[in-house]
Amino acid sequence: MIKTIFSLWVVVLLVGCAASTTQGLVDEQNWYGLGEQDGQRGLPQRSLSDLRTLATDAGETINANYLDYEQGYIQGIDAYCDPTHAYQLGLDGNPYMGVCESRPGSQRFRMEWQRGYNDFQNQTNGLFY
């Protein structure tokens, strides 16, 4: 019984993750969601050309909406650049691509991320007790 419930939970989780993939968001024409996802992951903002390429790869009838993407990206990057979770991002080994540099608190974010990333490297090298 427990194995069945766990298996069902895993399937639901995988289906939920598939819907939030880049290609899934493009197929749904959810440009806001794509921008928000990119921002929350700390990725550099895509260009209109990048979005058009994604749209073309998905099918000829899909048009890229850069304004929606940009609004979503701003929302996502606001969440990502919150210095209160920068340490955890570094500790998890996530790279920082400099996307917060023009935002308030960027120096604190960078310092906290670096502190976490240093601890991550120490753990990886077996120097953390």
Side-chain angles (χ1 to χ4, degrees):
M1 177 71 172
I2 292 176
K3 285 184 180 181
T4 304
I5 292 172
F6 180 76
S7 297
L8 260 158
W9 182 78
V10 169
V11 169
V12 168
L13 181 63
L14 289 174
V15 169
C17 290
S20 67
T21 65
T22 298
Q23 192 60 50
L25 292 168
V26 171
D27 289 343
E28 296 168 2
Q29 297 188 45
N30 185 353
W31 301 106
Y32 183 93
L34 178 62
E36 187 175 35
Q37 175 183 273
D38 285 354
Q40 288 173 346
R41 291 179 176 173
L43 299 174
Q45 188 171 351
R46 296 176 198 249
S47 68
L48 178 56
S49 176
D50 293 337
L51 295 184
R52 285 182 178 154
T53 300
L54 286 173
T56 300
D57 292 346
E60 296 177 26
T61 60
I62 297 177
N63 293 315
N65 185 327
Y66 193 75
L67 182 58
D68 283 355
Y69 173 84
E70 189 173 44
Q71 290 173 344
Y73 185 81
I74 291 167
Q75 185 73 28
I77 207 72
D78 283 346
Y80 177 83
C81 293
D82 181 351
T84 61
H85 75 274
Y87 174 80
Q88 188 62 49
L89 289 169
L91 188 60
D92 291 342
N94 293 310
Y96 173 54
M97 298 182 195
V99 297
C100 302
E101 293 309 305
S102 65
R103 306 182 99 45
S106 64
Q107 183 176 3
R108 181 171 165 230
F109 179 92
R110 194 176 346 95
M111 289 171 50
E112 288 299 312
W113 173 86
Q114 189 65 60
R115 187 171 64 90
Y117 196 74
N118 290 345
D119 288 349
F120 164 76
Q121 289 180 320
N122 288 339
Q123 286 177 348
T124 303
N125 295 328
L127 301 175
F128 217 41
Y129 301 107

